[in-house]
């Protein structure tokens, strides 16, 4: 990679003004990066990027084409490349990893904590993974291989093996002296010292802030605090719940024998919480996780199955209309009004469903308060119906005053009843799926919509047949 570009210091200063007031990369900055990549100006690219935060570099990669990313990644300094890789969208990271030379990647991974390094190595093809790991020091390689040996969504995969521990017989002075002697071997980020027994089992924790405020002669056992340890095979969603409930900044991870094997810090948990929330939102909409690097084929493959299910349930709902074909032929106004009942019911069902799924995810909803939650949503459904029914009833009676004013009563009553149905299925569907060990966010929305459509048409047209015919 050769570069003949002469850099103007004034231009460099201008280039580094990359973010607008909302911390978003400006179009002008992205255009400069594209121009430099097109012209093969490697040193200019490095100058543009070297002062960016890794998260901003990751955003930039999402704005670039694959061809431009292939050029840009070769000019990222190893340390910046290392910190950028965990920030990239999955599809873009896989593409970038194919472009980075194995030796460069091995050097970059040594700059990361073991958990971030394992997340990157996991995306490598088998042959590239073997070459990259063989180019790394034995200690770093062993830490990554150990992390990859745990289940994907477990605490073992999430934890970093770099951790600061002290034996129970030490005092504050011993601990501070030990930390100072570690130098570059210290974990990059740690908040607590874990006090361990002779079998390396954590018996307490000591925040760095308390350590620094205590006299050197004070024993660690006198000032240590109780800890919330995490089992190495614990699910990451369970870990996130523990951090959120107990307001943790970090927590020790223990193996099956209770020995300290690593730690999880709050920065990892923030990512997990965001990931789980994004996953639930996408599943409620019947789509899978997509990012800027997803291809059209991948997106279509993820969405078509749910659209097919929706098509099937829509056919079931429409079949109800066929049962009342004679009624509709006699009163054409019913064909105009019946979508209103099903639409309001679907929206109300989705509201109840969303609140219930969130309550299940945050563990605010359990068997002890489920009946109370159900009754509350049922009352809300009735109240909404009693508020909206007179509005639609009067509007309908005025609209079709020359035909049959009773149609206003029919649609008002149908709306109340369908809102009760919506509240019922919106609460009971996710609760039932959760009890059956299914993810309540996956298929609840399809079932709720299908049910409110079916009963919306059935109630409205059934009442119309009884009252108007």
């Amino acid at each position: 990679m050769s570069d003949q570009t002469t850099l103007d210091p004034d231009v460099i200063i201008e280039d580094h003004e990359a973010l607008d007031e909302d911390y978003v990369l400006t179009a002008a900055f992205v255009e400069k990066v594209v121009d430099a990549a097109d012209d093969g100006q490697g040193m200019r690219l490095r100058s543009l990027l070297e002062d960016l935060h890794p998260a901003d570099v990751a955003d930039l990669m999402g704005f670039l084409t694959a061809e431009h990313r292939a050029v840009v990644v070769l000019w990222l300094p190893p340390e910046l490349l290392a910190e950028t890789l965990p920030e990239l969208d999955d599809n873009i990271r896989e593409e970038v990893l194919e472009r980075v030379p194995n030796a460069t990647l091995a050097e970059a991974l040594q700059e990361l904590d073991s958990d971030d390094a394992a997340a990157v190595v996991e995306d490598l093809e088998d042959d590239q993974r073997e070459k990259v790991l063989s180019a790394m020091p034995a200690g770093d390689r062993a830490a990554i291989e150990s992390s990859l040996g745990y289940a994907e969504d477990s605490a073992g995969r999430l934890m970093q093996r770099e951790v600061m521990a002290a034996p129970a017989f030490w005092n504050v002075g011993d601990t501070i002296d030990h930390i100072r002697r570690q130098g570059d071997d210290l974990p990059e980020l740690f908040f607590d010292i874990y006090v361990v027994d002779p079998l390396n089992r954590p018996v307490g924790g000591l925040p760095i802030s308390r350590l620094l405020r205590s006299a050197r002669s004070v024993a660690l056992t006198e000032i240590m605090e109780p800890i919330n340890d995490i089992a190495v095979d614990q699910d990451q969603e369970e870990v996130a719940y523990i951090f959120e409930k107990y307001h943790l900044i970090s927590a020790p991870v223990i193996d099956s024998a209770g020995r300290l094997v690593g730690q999880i810090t709050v920065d990892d948990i923030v990512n997990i919480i965001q990931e789980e929330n994004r996953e639930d939102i996408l599943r409620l909409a019947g789509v899978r996780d997509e990012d800027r690097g997803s291809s059209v084929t991948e997106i279509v493959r993820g969405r078509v199955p749910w659209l097919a299910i929706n098509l099937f349930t829509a056919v079931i709902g429409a079949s109800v209309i066929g049962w009342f074909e004679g009624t509709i032929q006699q009163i054409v106004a019913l064909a105009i009004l019946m979508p209103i009942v099903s639409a309001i019911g679907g929206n109300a069902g989705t509201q109840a469903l969303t609140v219930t799924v969130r309550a299940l995810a945050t563990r605010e909803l359990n068997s002890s308060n489920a009946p109370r939650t159900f009754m509350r949503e049922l009352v809300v459904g009735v109240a909404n119906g009693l508020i909206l029914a007179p509005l639609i009833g009067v509007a309908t009676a005025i609209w079709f005053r020359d035909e049959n004013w009773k149609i206003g009563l029919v649609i008002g009553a149908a709306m109340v009843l369908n809102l009760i149905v919506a509240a019922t299925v919106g609460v009971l569907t996710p609760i039932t799926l959760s009890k059956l060990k299914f993810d309540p966010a996956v298929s609840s929305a399809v079932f709720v919509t299908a049910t409110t459509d079916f009963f919306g048409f059935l109630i409205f047209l059934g009442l119309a047949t009884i009252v108007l015919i």
Side-chain angles (χ1 to χ4, degrees):
M1 295 180 292
S2 62
D3 187 23
Q4 307 274 328
T5 305
T6 301
L7 298 178
D8 184 342
D10 294 332
V11 174
I12 295 176
I13 292 174
E14 180 187 358
D15 286 340
H16 286 169
E17 296 175 357
L19 304 178
D20 62 19
E21 59 185 8
D22 295 322
Y23 301 98
V24 177
L25 290 169
T26 63
F29 180 81
V30 175
E31 185 178 352
K32 291 173 184 177
V33 173
V34 170
D35 290 341
D38 286 336
D39 296 337
Q41 298 177 338
M43 293 304 296
R44 178 173 172 78
L45 279 174
R46 177 164 292 185
S47 174
L48 285 165
L49 302 176
E50 62 185 358
D51 289 337
L52 284 182
H53 190 279
D56 293 321
V57 178
D59 278 345
L60 173 65
M61 290 295 193
F63 294 133
L64 302 178
T65 64
E67 292 75 16
H68 290 131
R69 284 196 289 264
V71 176
V72 169
V73 71
L74 297 178
W75 288 96
L76 289 175
E79 185 174 351
L80 180 57
L81 172 63
E83 295 175 351
T84 299
L85 288 174
E87 303 283 348
L88 293 171
D89 293 336
D90 291 342
N91 289 327
I92 294 178
R93 181 165 62 226
E94 291 176 9
E95 174 197 308
V96 166
L97 291 174
E98 295 176 358
R99 305 283 187 174
V100 180
N102 293 335
T104 302
L105 184 55
E107 180 183 356
L109 291 177
Q110 295 174 48
E111 303 290 337
L112 295 175
D113 290 329
S114 56
D115 57 332
D116 291 330
V120 173
V121 171
E122 181 184 14
D123 288 337
L124 298 176
E125 297 294 335
D126 291 341
D127 56 340
Q128 186 183 12
R129 181 185 304 176
E130 184 177 346
K131 293 177 182 177
V132 169
L133 288 176
S134 63
M136 298 180 67
D140 293 332
R141 180 172 65 250
I144 293 175
E145 290 175 340
S146 176
S147 295
L148 293 176
Y150 296 109
E152 183 175 355
D153 294 330
S154 67
R157 183 68 69 88
L158 185 63
M159 73 177 181
Q160 63 181 74
R161 302 187 69 86
E162 298 83 7
V163 62
M164 184 57 63
F169 59 83
W170 277 7
N171 60 26
V172 170
D174 296 328
T175 307
I176 292 176
D177 292 342
H178 174 73
I179 292 174
R180 288 172 176 168
R181 287 195 298 267
Q182 296 305 301
D184 294 338
D185 293 333
L186 283 172
E188 182 177 348
L189 183 67
F190 67 102
F191 305 97
D192 298 289
I193 307 292
Y194 300 117
V195 182
V196 296
D197 65 13
L199 296 179
N200 200 39
R201 296 176 301 193
V203 295
L206 182 61
I208 294 296
S209 57
R210 174 170 292 187
L211 177 76
L212 295 178
R213 288 199 301 265
S214 302
R216 290 180 59 87
S217 59
V218 176
L220 297 184
T221 52
E222 293 181 14
I223 56 175
M224 69 182 186
E225 301 175 350
I227 53 173
N228 298 92
D229 48 34
I230 305 294
V232 74
D233 57 353
Q234 208 157 357
D235 185 85
Q236 65 178 20
E237 192 169 353
E238 179 84 11
V239 176
Y241 173 73
I242 293 172
F243 265 73
E244 185 176 11
K245 180 176 182 178
Y246 296 108
H247 309 292
L248 303 181
I249 297 178
S250 67
V253 180
I254 57 175
D255 62 14
S256 57
R259 294 175 301 225
L260 179 67
V261 292
Q263 69 170 340
I264 295 175
T265 53
V266 69
D267 58 316
D268 299 312
I269 296 302
V270 170
N271 293 334
I272 295 302
I273 292 174
Q274 291 177 337
E275 179 184 318
E276 296 291 344
N277 288 341
R278 180 176 68 248
E279 186 178 275
D280 286 344
I281 291 172
L282 292 173
R283 285 179 173 179
L284 280 172
V287 297
R288 66 179 211 174
D289 199 358
E290 299 166 3
D291 54 45
R292 291 171 292 187
S294 299
S295 66
V296 173
T297 302
E298 291 172 331
I299 295 174
V300 170
R301 189 184 301 121
R303 296 185 186 183
V304 162
W306 290 106
L307 291 176
I309 295 174
N310 282 332
L311 178 61
F312 175 73
T313 57
V315 169
I316 295 176
S319 66
V320 178
I321 301 174
W323 301 348
F324 299 95
E325 182 178 355
T327 302
I328 296 174
Q329 287 178 346
Q330 294 183 52
I331 307 175
V332 179
L334 298 177
I336 301 173
L337 297 174
M338 61 185 181
I340 298 176
V341 178
S342 64
I344 294 297
N347 287 334
T350 301
Q351 289 175 340
L353 168 65
T354 303
V355 170
T356 305
V357 169
R358 178 192 173 277
L360 287 170
T362 58
R363 307 194 183 189
E364 296 175 4
L365 178 60
N366 50 50
S367 57
S368 63
N369 62 3
R372 184 170 67 253
T373 300
F374 172 70
M375 289 304 301
R376 183 190 64 188
E377 289 298 328
L378 200 60
V379 172
V380 169
V382 173
N384 288 337
L386 293 176
I387 292 172
L388 297 176
L391 299 178
I392 188 63
V394 171
T396 301
I398 295 174
W399 188 2
F400 297 101
R401 62 184 180 277
D402 295 333
E403 297 182 25
N404 193 333
W405 62 268
K406 292 182 181 179
I407 198 171
L409 296 177
V410 169
I411 192 172
M415 183 167 292
V416 173
L417 293 175
N418 200 30
L419 286 175
I420 293 175
V421 171
T424 301
V425 297
V427 174
L428 294 185
T429 298
I431 290 177
T432 302
L433 289 173
S434 180
K435 289 291 185 182
L436 296 175
K437 305 303 181 183
F438 292 107
D439 189 336
V442 174
S443 55
S444 297
V446 174
F447 184 83
V448 169
T449 303
T451 304
T452 53
D453 283 350
F454 180 88
F455 282 99
F457 294 142
L458 179 64
I459 293 170
F460 178 58
L461 295 176
L463 287 176
T465 302
I466 296 172
V467 175
L468 304 178
I469 302 299

